[in-house]
Amino acid sequence: MIRRVLMTAALVATTILAVPGSPAQARACPLDWYCHWVYYSDSTYTTVVGERVTGCPGDSSGWGVRSSHQEYTEFPC
């Protein structure tokens, strides 16, 4: 049972990552991962205009605006 759930979650995550979205959309943070997005004003990546964090238990917080110029990092919990 747990294998099916994990396989389904992996398939959904792969599908979400494989389908291109609009540039300003953030990608979904996988379950039990820490994810961090930093949004910049333009392609020079010098002026930060927003930030978003999703913690291990699924809580999220952020400030500013989202843009198509972003850096994304994720770490397993």
Side-chain angles (χ1 to χ4, degrees), residues 2-72:
I2 195 87
R3 278 190 184 165
R4 283 188 188 163
V5 171
L6 292 175
M7 289 299 289
T8 302
L11 179 61
V12 168
T14 303
T15 303
I16 290 171
L17 297 177
V19 177
S22 64
Q25 283 186 337
R27 85 185 236 189
C29 186
L31 184 62
D32 291 331
W33 283 70
Y34 173 86
C35 302
H36 184 233
W37 295 262
V38 178
Y39 300 99
Y40 296 90
S41 62
D42 57 31
S43 61
T44 61
Y45 290 81
T46 54
T47 305
V48 176
V49 294
E51 191 172 6
R52 187 171 141 226
V53 174
T54 300
C56 293
D59 59 327
S60 66
S61 63
W63 63 271
V65 296
R66 295 181 186 177
S67 74
S68 58
H69 307 287
Q70 60 181 281
E71 289 180 345
Y72 173 79

